[in-house]
Amino acid sequence: MDNIFPSGAITKISGKAVVLSGNDIDTDRIIPARFLKCVSFDGLGAQVFADDRKELNKGATGFHPFDQPEKQGAKFLFTNQNFGCGSSREHAPQALMRWGIRAVLAESFAEIFFGNCLALGIPCVQVKQALILELQALANEATNPNFVLDLASSSISSEGCSWAIELEKGIQQMFLSGRWDGTAQLVANNEALNKTAAALPYLNNLWT
């Protein structure tokens, strides 16, 4: 939980995948509303899908995909249609990221959720139904294979197989260049920002 977060250019992501089958999985399921009262995002990773996990596990452990021992440390989430729909809460991608998810592949995404993930450095890759079903089946095999998402070559590979994916060129370049990280861009351009601020009369001559 609360693993090292994405930073800088993101060219490749590798690791195991956790499968969450189903359509229209909304942000209230990803992180229930009672956790929105938190002062910071710290600790949200442990609460991702809290109600779903409680209902499915019913006092035991290991039934929900996010509780299966072999899936701990997974970097990919494979799911289906309209993932992240519902309210626009930023806590949802924060919870996924803090659990350890670094990329989500699905048939489609809710637009605001997609944008919130982009701002955190989490690629959301939309793929056709046939491919996501194939990837889900592979991820669920007993071998628990690793996957490699190569953003530069627009591909995902595993077990000697490779599949082409499509990324919008502007978004692809944001990841490859590190421009997805607005805070890092501000820090990197601090000198230019200070120079601009110093030249603004309404900032420097406010009381004269």
Side-chain angles (χ1 to χ4, degrees), residues 112-194:
I112 294 177
F113 176 85
F114 184 99
N116 285 338
C117 283
L118 173 61
L120 294 175
I122 302 174
C124 288
V125 182
Q126 184 170 334
V127 300
K128 295 185 182 300
Q129 183 182 57
L131 177 53
I132 198 63
L133 292 177
E134 184 175 356
L135 293 173
Q136 287 176 330
L138 180 58
N140 280 332
E141 288 185 357
T143 55
N144 198 25
N146 273 4
F147 294 83
V148 177
L149 176 65
D150 190 326
L151 296 175
S153 66
S154 298
S155 67
I156 185 166
S157 59
S158 182
E159 302 286 276
C161 297
S162 181
W163 302 267
I165 59 171
E166 292 185 9
L167 289 171
E168 195 275 317
K169 291 298 182 183
I171 292 175
Q172 182 185 35
Q173 287 305 310
M174 289 180 73
F175 283 117
L176 295 179
S177 66
R179 287 187 290 107
W180 63 269
D181 190 345
T183 301
Q185 288 188 64
L186 288 173
V187 172
N189 292 281
N190 187 59
E191 183 177 346
L193 290 171
N194 286 334

Side-chain angles (χ1 to χ4, degrees), residues 1-3 5 30-32 34-50 53 91-100:
M1 311 300 177
D2 291 339
N3 298 317
F5 303 140
I30 298 171
I31 189 71
R34 63 184 178 278
F35 296 109
L36 305 189
K37 299 176 183 178
C38 60
V39 177
S40 73
F41 296 121
D42 293 344
L44 282 185
Q47 307 304 333
V48 68
F49 296 108
R53 291 160 73 180
H91 297 66
Q94 283 278 356
L96 290 169
M97 178 181 71
R98 289 166 187 273
W99 188 86

